[in-house]
Amino acid sequence: MRRELQRTRSELSKTRAELEEVRRVLRAVEASRFWKLRNLWWRTKERAFALLGLTDRMTQDTTRVLVPAEPPEPPLSAADPRGVPSAAPVAPSRSAAPVDIVVCIHDAYDDVVACIDSVVSHTRPPYTLILVDDGSATKTRDHVEHLARALSAVRIRNEEARGYTLAANQGLRASTGEYVVLLNSDTVVTPGWLGRLIGCAESDPAIGLVGPLSNCASWQSVPEVFDAAGDWAENPLPTGVTPDAIASALGAMSGPVYPRIPFLNGFCLLIKRATIEALGRFDEETFGRGYGEENDYALRARAAGFALAVADDAYVVHRQSRSYSHERRKLLSEAAGAALNRKHGGALIEEGVRVCRSGRVMEAMRERSRLLLDRRARIARGRERFEGKRVLFVLPVTERGGGANVVISEARAMSLMGVDARLLNRPEFLPFFERHYPEPGLPIESAPLDRLAEFAKSFDAVIATVNTSVAAIAPLAGKGPVLGYYVQDFEPAFYEAGSPAWSAALASYTGAPGLVRLTKTEWNRAAVLEGAGVDCTVIGPSYEADLFRPYREAPVSSPVKIAAMVRPSTPRRQPELTVDVLGRLHARFGERVAITVFGFDPAGPDAEVAKELPATVTRAGLLDGAALAALFNDTHVFADLSSFQAMGLTALEALGCGATAVVPRSGGANAFARHEENALVVDTLSADACFQALCRLVEDDGLRSRLMDRGYRDVCRFHPVEPALRILEALFPEC
């Protein structure tokens, strides 16, 4: 107990010193020439707008926002977000294009029964089933004959086994559909499988071949590719978990990325008719006994300009058929490998294997799949305990911001648990909020804050998200709802010490009896404990992990691409220091670096701070989530040179997309950033320290690559589901 008390006192002492240094920096920024000029510009503009009959409002972060009768129309982003995968799940395609499903069969009766049963149960017509019986014994032969009659399937019978490659070609010759699926008889398909494969194929005309994820399909296996012995993993399903449950969880996880890879496993292979017409069929002469024929076909397809894609929202179980023994399978595989090398050359094959094994997009998909069942279990636990609860988040904001993004994503996660989670905004803010969040995925309520108590009394919990909204929910104390305050920063640090705004922010932490205080990091908890003398429940960091993820391979190593937020309206982000460091970096490395800054309107007054940067520095403007994810997927290093960060959402998003980051030592970024492991954690109050850290990442390719590779693996676990569950547990501990 004594040791814990000493540790807490040490943390509080450190936090006290950090907060005092932060206040010093903010005072210096506010006294700067740029800040004074900016404030003069705003005062002039306000007077002009007043003459036009417009009013001004205060947002939660003290940024003044002019509110005309109609919302403005300019686009949110200068970046092109096309090609960014959806963060929301995508329904299987309902294409009516003719599809042929070719199943090659050689004995293994039980596998055949399970395979065809799953196809009939989970495949949406129209489709034609083509059954190629390659010399099966009596029991399987008779069953295939029965299936052909019962299902009006095409049946092809070889009295003696000819081998998989020849049997598959027989099926391809019999097919006429726009799409052909070669499906092993030792598979079990799941709901939506074919529609998801076709959806992938239709997503890009260049795609010629498509395969699903599986438990056992070499590079398409999830979550593991290799077992402990170095052989292909079989990934047996956990007890009580069905193939359909895995498929459902994968399909519901997020929108598919459709990774492009050099090779696809032939166990379940969709081929477009255009590909067959260009390439013909499998090479019977070289790979007649089976094994290697799909890799040869993949190499030929790529040489002809076709792409190979994984439908990463489709899942098909592969049982490793008993048609071949393990020993025979190994011999055939070795012989096929030698033949493939002779035909195409070892270098091309080795490069393809390298991409399949360690490509960033596939590796990120595997990392995410490892968390799939845990996320599913947390959602189920939340539904069991909290389904039917009504939770209202008071979110009086006009534009996109990190705090709002976190609240919205975690409220959406609550809705997956059966919670009626809603947002409330002020009526005059709604037009602007809806422009920045056109599809929040949640019901949006509207009420003036002075009437909030009457409006919100039917909810089980009402949560303030900024210090100015705590007073609005305080009248609800003792009248039914649990009252909460989602503390996402130490807000007194935003104001001059001793000012009325500072006093109000400090008082907000005790602004209502029984207030449940929630925060993201231990740093923020310690800051509130030190500043206000009250504790918070730490719920942990989170970000929109289904949006901010790798969907492109890492950018080439030169030039080194560096991105930074420059936001003059937020002094703690140290915009002038950031611009100074970036300017020094450009002067030192020239064309070896490509720098992008964002977070301000290039045509507005905030652009003044970046005027000293060279014209070759890209001014990306104000970015929405999709555009920011696109930028970070093409970035090596994100520089957050803020004086402190309560959590550091933008750096977390950058790591999620595969970049590394330079982040401030002061604050709560250490909740996800590990110095020399996935990021560089530095004293951002020193411009020289920031500059040296960025120089290291430019000059040391090995360090940069190592940090980038570790980052997305470390942070993909910070999905909003877990903090959402912790919020509910803190609000309703009795449930």
Side-chain angles (χ1 to χ4, degrees):
M1 185 70 175
R2 183 178 301 170
R3 184 176 300 171
E4 179 66 20
L5 183 60
Q6 290 175 341
R7 187 178 69 83
T8 301
R9 286 174 176 167
S10 175
E11 289 177 352
L12 289 174
S13 177
K14 178 183 177 183
T15 300
R16 187 185 299 115
E18 289 178 345
L19 288 173
E20 182 53 40
E21 183 62 22
V22 165
R23 293 188 185 103
R24 183 190 67 77
V25 171
L26 293 178
R27 287 194 296 269
V29 170
E30 289 168 351
S32 68
R33 178 176 177 272
F34 166 77
W35 194 254
K36 292 176 179 177
L37 288 173
R38 183 182 184 278
N39 287 342
L40 175 62
W41 189 94
W42 276 109
R43 287 194 295 272
T44 303
K45 189 172 181 179
E46 285 173 0
R47 285 195 292 269
F49 270 81
L51 293 173
L52 297 175
L54 304 174
T55 61
D56 64 322
R57 309 287 184 189
M58 294 295 290
T59 68
Q60 94 283 8
D61 62 357
T62 76
T63 302
R64 301 183 75 83
V65 179
L66 297 170
V67 184
E70 297 293 333
E73 292 298 328
L76 288 175
S77 170
D80 182 4
R82 288 178 298 180
V84 178
S86 169
V90 174
S93 170
R94 289 179 171 266
S95 171
V99 181
D100 296 330
I101 302 173
V102 177
V103 183
C104 297
I105 299 165
H106 177 72
D107 290 326
Y109 172 85
D110 291 340
D111 286 346
V112 174
V113 171
C115 174
I116 303 304
D117 281 353
S118 72
V119 170
V120 173
S121 299
H122 298 315
T123 309
R124 180 185 178 88
Y127 66 91
T128 298
L129 193 58
I130 300 175
L131 306 176
V132 183
D133 180 357
D134 191 33
S136 297
T138 303
K139 183 178 181 180
T140 304
R141 178 200 65 193
D142 292 348
H143 184 65
V144 172
E145 187 174 356
H146 164 73
L147 288 173
R149 289 196 302 270
L151 302 175
S152 300
V154 176
R155 173 177 172 262
I156 300 171
R157 165 72 180 176
N158 297 328
E159 291 303 324
E160 293 184 359
R162 303 179 63 193
Y164 176 81
T165 302
L166 278 74
N169 277 349
Q170 287 177 277
L172 290 174
R173 289 189 187 95
S175 71
T176 58
E178 185 176 335
Y179 298 105
V180 182
V181 179
L182 292 173
L183 185 68
N184 281 17
S185 60
D186 57 352
T187 58
V188 173
V189 302
T190 57
W193 74 286
L194 184 57
R196 296 188 186 282
L197 292 178
I198 292 174
C200 176
E202 291 178 337
S203 70
D204 184 349
I207 294 175
L209 305 174
V210 177
L213 298 177
S214 178
N215 64 305
C216 184
S218 56
W219 309 116
Q220 293 149 248
S221 298
V222 292
E224 307 302 332
V225 172
F226 299 106
D227 62 19
D231 200 356
W232 295 118
E234 295 188 8
N235 292 299
L237 301 186
T239 302
V241 177
T242 65
D244 290 4
I246 295 289
S248 175
L250 273 172
M253 184 164 62
S254 58
V257 174
Y258 300 144
R260 280 26 171 205
I261 59 175
F263 297 112
L264 288 170
N265 192 293
F267 86 111
C268 176
L269 186 65
L270 180 143
I271 312 174
K272 284 182 177 177
R273 176 58 55 186
T275 309
I276 298 173
E277 291 174 350
L279 304 182
R281 292 172 288 276
F282 289 153
D283 181 351
E284 297 179 0
E285 182 176 345
T286 308
F287 305 100
R289 292 187 297 171
Y291 283 82
E293 77 289 335
E294 76 271 40
N295 289 334
D296 170 67
Y297 205 70
L299 290 166
R300 290 159 54 197
R302 290 171 56 210
F306 294 103
L308 285 65
V310 177
D312 51 322
D313 58 348
Y315 185 79
V316 174
V317 172
H318 189 201
R319 295 172 179 246
Q320 283 282 34
S321 175
R322 287 174 288 278
S323 296
Y324 295 113
S325 67
H326 177 74
E327 291 75 17
R328 177 165 171 72
R329 187 181 295 114
K330 184 177 180 181
L331 288 172
L332 288 173
S333 179
E334 289 175 352
L340 201 66
N341 270 284
R342 288 193 298 271
K343 183 172 181 179
H344 295 282
L348 181 63
I349 296 167
E350 288 175 7
E351 174 59 17
V353 168
R354 184 196 65 78
V355 172
C356 289
R357 180 194 295 269
S358 57
R360 182 171 75 173
V361 177
M362 287 297 289
E363 277 290 272
M365 179 270 299
R366 293 170 190 134
E367 290 288 348
R368 286 161 55 82
S369 73
R370 293 184 179 102
L371 305 171
L372 192 66
L373 293 180
D374 178 71
R375 188 192 302 183
R376 180 172 173 264
R378 290 180 190 278
I379 293 172
R381 188 158 69 246
R383 184 173 289 275
E384 180 181 351
R385 295 181 60 187
F386 305 112
E387 185 172 17
K389 291 291 187 184
R390 304 188 71 221
V391 177
L392 182 68
F393 289 89
V394 182
L395 190 66
V397 300
T398 59
E399 57 186 26
R400 292 187 68 87
N405 292 345
V406 166
V407 168
I408 291 171
S409 63
E410 291 175 6
R412 282 199 299 252
M414 287 183 186
S415 69
L416 297 176
M417 303 172 193
V419 174
D420 180 6
R422 297 174 180 242
L423 308 177
L424 182 139
N425 205 339
R426 294 167 59 167
E428 65 269 30
F429 286 1
L430 270 183
F432 302 91
F433 177 86
E434 290 171 349
R435 185 173 73 90
H436 288 270
Y437 293 101
E439 296 181 3
L442 294 163
I444 309 297
E445 305 290 352
S446 175
L449 294 188
D450 58 3
R451 293 173 51 196
L452 175 61
E454 178 183 353
F455 176 85
K457 61 186 178 182
S458 64
F459 286 84
D460 296 297
V462 181
I463 304 174
T465 59
V466 66
N467 76 83
T468 54
S469 59
V470 174
I473 71 171
L476 286 164
K479 297 181 180 179
V482 177
L483 301 186
Y485 180 12
Y486 200 155
V487 179
Q488 297 197 62
D489 221 316
F490 187 65
E491 295 187 20
F494 297 172
Y495 310 103
E496 182 180 353
S499 68
W502 178 89
S503 299
L506 193 62
S508 68
Y509 298 118
T510 54
L515 191 65
V516 178
R517 288 167 292 273
L518 312 154
T519 195
K520 304 297 286 180
T521 65
E522 288 290 346
W523 180 89
N524 215 151
R525 176 195 176 205
V528 174
L529 188 59
E530 164 65 20
V534 291
D535 207 353
C536 301
T537 297
V538 176
I539 62 171
S542 71
Y543 70 109
E544 289 187 85
D546 294 334
L547 174 62
F548 292 95
R549 51 183 165 143
Y551 62 87
R552 296 177 187 159
E553 296 304 324
V556 296
S557 59
S558 182
V560 176
K561 296 184 177 181
I562 298 170
M565 179 183 288
V566 176
R567 183 184 287 170
S569 60
T570 311
R572 64 170 171 160
R573 287 197 175 272
Q574 303 195 112
E576 291 178 304
L577 179 146
T578 301
V579 168
D580 175 65
V581 170
L582 295 178
R584 291 169 61 187
L585 200 70
H586 185 276
R588 175 165 176 172
F589 293 105
E591 294 182 355
R592 289 179 59 189
V593 296
I595 299 172
T596 298
V597 293
F598 62 94
F600 63 90
D601 181 356
D606 289 348
E608 176 74 13
V609 73
K611 69 177 184 179
E612 300 301 327
L613 288 174
T616 52
V617 171
T618 300
R619 279 87 165 158
L622 301 169
L623 304 182
D624 63 13
L628 190 57
L631 173 63
F632 284 157
N633 262 268
D634 196 36
T635 293
H636 295 100
V637 182
F638 171 64
D640 183 348
L641 308 187
S642 305
S643 57
F644 77 101
Q645 282 286 8
M647 182 184 77
L649 178 64
T650 313
L652 182 54
E653 292 167 342
L655 265 64
C657 289
T660 186
V662 175
V663 300
R665 183 179 300 156
S666 177
N670 61 4
F672 63 87
R674 301 285 183 266
H675 184 56
E676 301 277 359
E677 294 181 19
N678 59 24
L680 294 183
V681 182
V682 305
D683 176 11
T684 49
L685 298 179
S686 165
D688 286 343
C690 297
F691 177 66
Q692 292 302 325
L694 288 170
C695 287
R696 283 187 66 196
L697 291 173
V698 172
E699 295 172 330
D700 191 336
D701 291 349
L703 172 66
R704 186 178 64 250
S705 296
R706 177 171 59 81
L707 300 185
M708 291 173 65
D709 184 62
R710 188 69 253 164
Y712 68 84
R713 299 175 191 273
D714 287 346
V715 307
C716 65
R717 63 189 175 93
F718 295 121
H719 191 277
V721 163
E722 183 171 354
L725 182 58
R726 289 180 178 174
I727 291 173
L728 294 171
E729 290 171 340
L731 295 172
F732 311 113
E734 73 285 354
C735 291

